[in-house]
Amino acid sequence: MVDRGIALDRARLHAQAWLDSLDSRPVPPQATGAEVGDRLGTELPDRPTDPCEVLDLLAGAGGAGGPAPGGGRVVGVGRRGGPPAARPPAGRGGG
């Protein structure tokens, strides 16, 4: 049985490291989605994977792909300005 407390502690460490890096990181992501995908790979394991191993992989591969917000507000595209998958269907969700 997996000790979920250990995985939660590892997730907290990664979250704290990310927060601690905000003052020194550029705001725009430093990796594209394709680069993050390459780091993650396409092969799935044949066996269950330790949750801490998964968290380490995600934090390592995805860290450069996430933005580092420069202030207290989240900056993003307008509701209708995002990619099609992010837009609500016509007539739903306003805009």
Side-chain angles (χ1 to χ4, degrees):
M1 179 109 194
V2 173
D3 182 347
R4 290 186 178 102
I6 293 172
L8 287 171
D9 288 343
R10 183 67 61 94
R12 185 194 59 76
L13 289 174
H14 285 300
Q16 189 63 56
W18 184 81
L19 288 171
D20 290 345
S21 75
L22 291 180
D23 288 340
S24 61
R25 288 178 52 178
V27 173
Q30 299 301 294
T32 65
E35 290 168 332
V36 171
D38 288 344
R39 292 175 187 168
L40 290 172
T42 58
E43 298 296 318
L44 294 175
D46 292 330
R47 60 172 176 71
T49 305
D50 179 277
C52 290
E53 210 176 304
V54 174
L55 290 166
D56 292 345
L57 173 67
L58 292 173
R73 298 186 332 159
V74 175
V75 177
V77 296
R79 288 183 359 186
R80 294 281 182 188
R87 294 185 196 141
R92 295 186 186 174

